Amino acid sequence: MRGWLTLTLGLLAVVVGAVWTVQGLGYVGGSVMTDERLWAVVGPLVVLAGLVLLWRGLRSRRLP
């Protein structure tokens, strides 16, 4: 069960960051974040943080 919280948070961050990115780029409408440059920059940073969390979670599960 080691690393499950880190894996879950990492996956959530990747999904949220991807949504923020496509909203910031204007591909998803109906939000105050649509076509806002801030979210097009913040989104990939959140995705990157999520990938780091996923990597750490997977690594902690493999260590004895």
Side-chain angles (χ1 to χ4, degrees), residues 10-23 33 42-43 46-47:
L11 183 60
L12 181 64
V14 168
V15 170
V16 168
V19 170
W20 286 356
T21 301
V22 295
Q23 281 182 328
M33 298 187 325
V42 171
V46 172
V47 169

Side-chain angles (χ1 to χ4, degrees), residues 13-55:
V14 168
V15 170
V16 168
V19 170
W20 286 356
T21 301
V22 295
Q23 281 182 328
L25 293 174
Y27 294 119
V28 176
S31 172
V32 296
M33 298 187 325
T34 302
D35 270 339
E36 290 291 328
R37 181 178 229 155
L38 171 69
W39 299 110
V41 173
V42 171
L45 295 175
V46 172
V47 169
L48 183 61
L51 290 174
V52 169
L53 285 173
L54 283 172
W55 177 75

